[in-house]
Amino acid sequence: SLSQIVPVKVYEKTNWCIVAETNYDRNFVFLTEKIAKPIMAKMPFLIIGNPNSLDMLRSLGFKTFDGIIDESYDRMPNLYHRIDAVVKVIEDLHCDPKVPQQILDHNYKILMNTDWHSINRSYLKYFR
């Protein structure tokens, strides 16, 4: 299925990925293959999804891009405020901030080397 294809050639033509996750206004964080794809392609990303999606990724061992971009959008409970904040970040990307390759490599290794079936369910704290 198309959900299992990583369009690496498309990612190679971009500097950042904007991930529109399946759910965006639930009372729990829900991540899908949509975020896995830019990680597999070693691309930096922004997420339009549930509030605290980046916090959940960090709790799973991934690194995000705080300090390179403003990630405060991720904690905004209101979807429309979150989208406005992401648009502001996108507008600021015109200066093409450089993402250290070691972050992208780290995220790839976490994604590919973690046994996701037996992972500790400590991330359940993100269910509210």
Side-chain angles (χ1 to χ4, degrees), residues 7-61:
V8 175
K9 296 282 186 202
V10 173
Y11 289 133
E12 289 174 350
K13 296 178 183 180
T14 65
N15 293 325
W16 285 77
C17 297
I18 302 163
V19 177
E21 265 300 355
T22 302
N23 290 312
Y24 52 83
D25 207 19
R26 304 274 183 166
N27 54 356
F28 61 89
V29 174
F30 184 78
L31 300 173
T32 68
E33 83 288 347
K34 293 173 185 69
I35 190 61
K37 288 180 179 186
I39 293 171
M40 289 177 71
K42 297 184 179 183
M43 294 295 302
F45 54 83
L46 297 107
I47 300 177
I48 298 175
N50 306 97
N52 304 309
S53 293
L54 295 176
D55 287 339
M56 180 182 230
L57 283 173
R58 285 189 289 270
S59 79
L60 294 168

Side-chain angles (χ1 to χ4, degrees), residues 108-121:
Y108 179 85
K109 287 176 187 171
I110 293 291
L111 181 67
M112 301 307 286
N113 296 323
T114 299
D115 179 0
W116 296 106
H117 293 289
S118 65
I119 190 166
N120 180 328
R121 301 295 185 194

Side-chain angles (χ1 to χ4, degrees), residues 39-96:
I39 293 171
M40 289 177 71
K42 297 184 179 183
M43 294 295 302
F45 54 83
L46 297 107
I47 300 177
I48 298 175
N50 306 97
N52 304 309
S53 293
L54 295 176
D55 287 339
M56 180 182 230
L57 283 173
R58 285 189 289 270
S59 79
L60 294 168
F62 293 97
K63 294 181 180 180
T64 62
F65 311 102
D66 197 29
I68 299 169
I69 61 169
D70 179 4
E71 291 185 336
S72 63
Y73 71 87
D74 185 58
R75 293 198 173 104
M76 296 178 175
N78 181 285
L79 170 63
Y80 300 105
H81 295 156
R82 219 167 35 256
I83 291 172
D84 286 344
V86 168
V87 168
K88 173 72 171 108
V89 171
I90 292 167
E91 290 170 346
D92 291 344
L93 288 178
H94 74 276
C95 64
D96 189 22

